[in-house]
Amino acid sequence: MKKANPLLIIILALGVFGIITTEMGIIGVLPQVTEKFNISASQAGWLVSIFALVVAISGPFMTLLASGINRKIILLTAVLIFAISNLVYAYTTSFDVMLAFRIVPAIFHPVFFSVALVTAAKLVPSEKAAKRLQRFLLE
């Protein structure tokens, strides 16, 4: 077993943090979204709902489609798409554009997490991974 690369662990952790922030961060700014685009709270709520719906629907299919692609390429592509989407809906003046750019990263969300978790699991010897998982589940 190769020694775990600390840089890889940091990159995975930052990727997970950034993607979870993208997924959940919109919830905290929904009031500002309603003001900026002059829409109702229920319309702004679609930013959260559409993301979750797309993740649920595309998850199994996209993960299966990406299973044959190099893990580094998948991880980098997903993070790049999340970064571009964040920039677009940070500066957009159209709610429809913002909604569309919530859909795009949602397609890559399950792919990123499936690959990131497999990559993280391979960094730890299997006997240690089982003990850590057991300890995590019992606490």
Side-chain angles (χ1 to χ4, degrees), residues 63-78:
T63 304
L64 185 61
L65 284 174
S67 64
I69 302 172
N70 184 322
R71 287 184 296 190
K72 290 178 185 177
I73 292 171
I74 292 172
L75 293 172
L76 289 172
T77 302

Side-chain angles (χ1 to χ4, degrees), residues 72-135:
K72 290 178 185 177
I73 292 171
I74 292 172
L75 293 172
L76 289 172
T77 302
V79 169
L80 183 64
I81 286 176
F82 271 85
I84 291 169
S85 294
N86 283 336
L87 285 172
V88 168
Y89 52 75
Y91 292 106
T92 188
T93 57
S94 168
F95 180 72
D96 293 332
V97 171
M98 189 175 201
L99 193 60
F101 276 87
R102 287 288 291 169
I103 294 170
V104 173
I107 294 169
F108 289 89
H109 181 275
V111 175
F112 175 85
F113 274 98
S114 63
V115 172
L117 292 175
V118 167
T119 303
K122 289 186 178 193
L123 294 174
V124 180
S126 59
E127 61 274 359
K128 287 186 179 181
K131 286 180 186 177
R132 289 184 183 174
L133 179 61
Q134 182 182 21
R135 195 176 306 151

Side-chain angles (χ1 to χ4, degrees), residues 47-59:
L47 294 171
V48 178
S49 301
I50 200 73
F51 191 95
L53 186 63
V54 171
V55 167
I57 291 171
S58 71

